[in-house]
């Protein structure tokens, strides 16, 4: 090295972070904040299943008919933007960010996501997005650490009380749906049961995942804990 030369900075090691857990535990807020802090891409896999469900509803597919859902699974074109500052989701070129958050979609997404053909299509898409993230990525969902990316560098499983989760999720819904916390709580519990008991890629905590109960924690506290875990892993790579 020449005198006075500044040593080149080594880029942080690419890292894949899987954040799983049921709805309303703070997955999205935590994942986006962690990705932004660490310069990583971000993927909301739940939005992809919601987008698939919205497409099924919009195209008159009976979501209770698994055969019909399976037959249609390969038709919609889902595109997920991975910028944590402004994640996007389009279906066949149409912005689906708002309509996928309605109670109607919430009530039907478990039935659609339980169909193995749907999970196969979406899982392949998720893996391709993660593989293309040169600097690393934070991927949030329900089966990321167990099925989609079992070799993820860091696995986090977020939990929270049903009451806390209902209050958070109610605030994400649109229109009159946002005011009925009790109905939201019932819907969350029902979805938990469906997602945890489905045969294909059920909602479950990976054996090597770190569980974080967010009920009494602020978003900042959760983010700081996850960031610390990721930075520790980066330093060891």
């Amino acid at each position: 090295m020449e005198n006075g030369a500044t040593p080149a900075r080594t880029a942080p090691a690419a890292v894949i972070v899987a954040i799983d857990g049921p709805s309303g535990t703070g997955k999205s807020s935590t994942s986006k904040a962690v990705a932004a802090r660490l310069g990583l891409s971000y993927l909301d896999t739940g939005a992809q299943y919601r987008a698939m469900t919205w497409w099924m509803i919009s195209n008159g597919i009976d979501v209770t008919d698994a055969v019909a859902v399976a037959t249609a699974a390969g038709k919609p074109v889902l595109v997920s933007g991975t910028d944590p500052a402004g994640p996007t989701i389009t279906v066949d070129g149409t912005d689906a960010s708002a309509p996928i958050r309605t109670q109607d979609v919430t009530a039907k997404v478990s039935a659609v996501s339980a169909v193995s053909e749907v999970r196969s299509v979406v899982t392949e898409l998720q893996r391709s997005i993660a593989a293309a993230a040169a600097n690393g990525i934070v991927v949030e969902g329900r089966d990321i650490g167990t099925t989609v990316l079992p070799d993820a560098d860091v696995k986090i499983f977020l939990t929270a009380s049903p009451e806390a989760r209902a209050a958070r999720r109610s605030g994400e819904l649109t229109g009159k749906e946002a005011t009925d916390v009790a109905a939201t709580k019932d819907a969350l519990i029902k979805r938990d049961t469906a997602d945890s008991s489905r045969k294909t890629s059920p909602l479950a905590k990976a054996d090597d995942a770190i569980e974080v109960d967010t009920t009494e924690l602020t978003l900042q506290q959760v983010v700081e804990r996850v960031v610390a875990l990721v930075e520790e892993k980066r330093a060891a790579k």
Side-chain angles (χ1 to χ4, degrees), residues 28-184:
S28 293
S29 298
T30 298
S31 299
K32 284 184 284 190
V34 169
R37 278 271 299 273
L38 298 174
L40 305 176
S41 296
Y42 160 76
L43 178 62
D44 176 0
T45 64
Q48 294 175 318
Y49 285 107
R50 284 175 170 272
M52 182 75 79
T53 302
W54 176 66
W55 184 91
M56 296 283 176
I57 295 170
S58 300
N59 285 273
I61 305 298
D62 180 0
V63 300
T64 65
D65 184 344
V67 174
V69 171
T71 300
K75 295 181 179 180
V77 177
L78 310 183
V79 178
S80 297
T82 58
D83 180 355
T88 58
I89 180 79
T90 64
V91 183
D92 295 340
T94 299
D95 180 11
S97 301
I100 66 172
R101 299 297 174 185
T102 63
Q103 191 63 47
D104 188 32
V105 171
T106 297
K108 296 174 180 177
V109 66
S110 286
V112 172
S113 62
V115 177
S116 60
E117 287 81 0
V118 170
R119 300 205 73 83
S120 178
V121 167
V122 178
T123 295
E124 182 178 350
L125 176 60
Q126 292 162 1
R127 287 173 176 163
S128 67
I129 292 172
N135 295 327
I137 190 169
V138 178
V139 184
E140 61 146 308
R142 286 170 169 74
D143 65 341
I144 309 307
T146 55
T147 302
V148 180
L149 300 168
D151 295 325
D153 299 296
V154 179
K155 300 180 185 179
I156 307 293
F157 191 85
L158 300 184
T159 63
S161 70
E163 292 76 17
R165 293 168 53 210
R168 294 167 183 167
R169 177 43 58 91
S170 181
E172 297 174 359
L173 299 176
T174 58
K176 291 185 294 184
E177 297 163 340
T179 64
D180 196 342
V181 178
T184 301

Side-chain angles (χ1 to χ4, degrees), residues 154 210 225-237:
V154 179
I210 299 170
R225 181 167 183 185
V226 176
V227 165
L229 290 168
V230 176
E231 289 183 328
E232 180 182 347
K233 187 66 177 183
R234 266 182 166 176
K237 292 189 76 172

